[in-house]
Amino acid sequence: MVQATLFLLVLSLALVAPSLSAGKCVLTGHWKNDLGSNMTIGTVNEKGNFAGSYHTAVSATTNEIQVSPLQGSQHLTNQKSEPTFGFTVSWSFS
């Protein structure tokens, strides 16, 4: 009985959780990756475009690492599809 209840609980969470998060992808904020690089993303506009800055912690250059501008776009979704986004960085130091 306990195993059946646990199974039903896990199954219901697996079915409900994707629908709770699929329509909402908030990119705005400060992000840090495992290597210590930092990214700041500003507000996403009504067309899905955004701008921000990227400060890499990893480089093969001897030049001083500087904060670099980034631009990106988020594919605006309806409730039936997953959100996607992409961005490009214009390196200021190389």
Side-chain angles (χ1 to χ4, degrees), residues 2 15 23 25 32 44 53 55 72-74 80-81 87 89 92:
V2 173
L15 294 174
C25 179
K32 184 174 183 175
V44 179
S53 61
H55 188 244
S73 182
Q74 180 180 17
K80 296 181 180 181
S81 63
F87 64 90
V89 177
S92 300

Side-chain angles (χ1 to χ4, degrees), residues 25-49:
C25 179
V26 179
L27 297 176
T28 303
H30 302 284
W31 302 87
K32 184 174 183 175
N33 70 15
D34 294 345
L35 299 175
S37 298
N38 294 291
M39 179 171 62
T40 301
I41 296 178
T43 303
V44 179
N45 70 19
E46 67 280 349
K47 292 182 180 180
N49 299 319

Side-chain angles (χ1 to χ4, degrees), residues 1-6:
M1 182 70 168
V2 173
Q3 289 178 339
T5 304
L6 181 60

